[in-house]
Amino acid sequence: MAEPESTVINTDVKQKDPSEALVIAVTTRAIFNLEEEHKLYLEKGKEEYARHQQANQDKPLPPGTAFAFIQAAQYVNEKILESNLAEKDLFDILVVSNNSPESGVRIINSAKHYGVSAALVFQQEVQAPSTPLRVVFDGDAVLFSNETDQVFQEQGLEGAVRYERAMEAVPMGEGPLKAFAMHLGKIRKKFSQEKSPIRTYLVTARSGRDMGVRAIKTLQEWGLAIDEAFFMDGAPKGPILAQIQPHIFFDDGLHNIQGAQDVGVPSAWVPSCY
């Protein structure tokens, strides 16, 4: 909600060690479906919105777009802790709200309804689905740097292909999501491939024939294992995303984000740095 003052709903619940855990902050509008409430806020104002939330404070909000992602991350935590209760290399989910404390009561009650602590940090008691966390990354300007994209902008497809062939043995630079992907990979290595609660995918517009080798060699150089790689050769990504059904898809192209949304896949836009 676009209220004037931001409030982080928090209590004395101890958070995981941020130097060890992979901390992910999520808004309440991502965890819970607040679209009707947000519309009310825009049309009737803050006071009516607050009255509505207080009047419905015991009515749980439906899950939002990011709810399945959070549940899947919790499932990863549970699988890790099965083998080592002292493990600190976990997901730490922080849910941030800009609701006032009064209207935030419904958020807290909804969290309790789904087994979430008052701090809105998922605890070990939460029942999570026994399905792997599925994360899909685009390649250039997301996992990798945007160097080849820049060549493409300046010289077209043929120039980009020539550049990739010339640079085939040289690993690409780091993209904005590399560190996140590497941390996922670190957690994934705690399990065998068959039992891993995490599955990662590369879905890139690159051609596998002309531009796939360098991408694969870069991943190998980084020591980053990807479960499946799809080289789309410019084809729309929506159909393959519909098959994978990831919990989150990262891409720098707004047309790809729209394609993901069209098939009901939660997505996050990574702004280009050029």
Side-chain angles (χ1 to χ4, degrees):
M1 303 298 105
E3 296 184 17
E5 296 182 358
S6 294
T7 302
V8 177
I9 299 178
N10 201 358
T11 66
D12 293 329
V13 175
K14 186 177 180 181
Q15 304 300 306
K16 299 176 180 66
D17 184 349
S19 66
E20 299 282 348
L22 180 56
V23 181
I24 299 176
V26 188
T27 66
T28 50
R29 284 185 65 192
I31 292 291
F32 302 116
N33 186 334
L34 284 156
E35 294 309 306
E36 289 186 10
E37 287 73 13
H38 185 54
K39 182 179 179 181
L40 176 66
Y41 176 84
L42 293 176
E43 294 178 351
K44 301 292 183 66
K46 175 184 175 182
E47 292 184 2
E48 185 62 31
Y49 163 76
R51 280 195 293 269
H52 172 81
Q53 290 292 68
Q54 291 174 38
N56 291 277
Q57 64 181 20
D58 294 322
K59 181 180 178 181
L61 291 160
T65 304
F67 197 86
F69 174 87
I70 299 306
Q71 285 191 310
Q74 178 58 40
Y75 173 63
V76 174
N77 282 357
E78 291 176 352
K79 298 302 290 184
I80 292 173
L81 292 170
E82 280 181 6
S83 57
N84 182 9
L85 288 175
E87 180 64 67
K88 295 182 179 180
D89 196 10
L90 303 165
F91 287 101
D92 193 9
I93 309 297
L94 303 180
V95 182
V96 181
S97 171
N98 62 355
N99 284 269
S100 65
E102 294 79 17
S103 57
V105 170
R106 190 181 184 194
I107 303 295
I108 296 173
N109 287 343
S110 296
K112 289 179 179 178
H113 174 77
Y114 292 108
V116 183
S117 75
L120 299 188
V121 177
F122 278 72
Q123 301 299 298
Q124 300 310 313
E125 299 81 30
V126 176
Q127 295 297 314
S130 299
T131 57
L133 171 63
R134 298 181 298 277
V135 182
V136 176
F137 297 96
D138 178 31
D140 296 279
V142 177
L143 268 188
F144 312 127
S145 69
N146 65 355
E147 58 177 280
T148 304
D149 273 355
Q150 290 180 306
V151 175
F152 175 79
Q153 295 293 330
E154 296 169 0
Q155 303 178 26
L157 179 59
E158 290 186 5
V161 170
R162 285 195 302 269
Y163 177 80
E164 284 293 294
R165 287 174 177 169
M167 299 289 288
E168 192 173 280
V170 181
M172 284 180 277
E174 301 179 1
L177 268 293
K178 186 217 173 178
F180 176 63
M182 293 297 290
H183 205 131
L184 282 180
K186 180 182 177 183
I187 296 174
R188 186 180 176 279
K189 286 180 179 178
K190 299 178 186 295
F191 305 92
S192 66
Q193 186 172 5
E194 295 77 16
K195 296 183 178 180
S196 174
I198 298 175
R199 288 191 65 81
T200 53
Y201 304 80
L202 172 67
V203 178
T204 172
R206 284 171 170 256
S207 159
R209 180 189 60 201
D210 298 318
M211 304 173 73
V213 174
R214 192 180 182 206
I216 293 171
K217 286 186 175 180
T218 298
L219 295 174
Q220 292 174 339
E221 178 70 20
W222 291 351
L224 178 58
I226 295 289
D227 288 291
E228 297 183 51
F230 297 87
F231 296 92
M232 305 301 294
D233 197 13
K237 297 181 180 180
I240 195 64
L241 293 174
Q243 294 297 316
I244 297 172
Q245 283 296 303
H247 293 94
I248 190 70
F249 163 59
F250 297 99
D251 201 290
D252 68 309
L254 287 175
H255 62 291
N256 290 322
I257 296 297
Q258 184 61 57
Q261 293 175 347
D262 289 344
V263 295
V265 169
S267 54
W269 178 53
V270 182
S272 299
C273 53
Y274 62 88

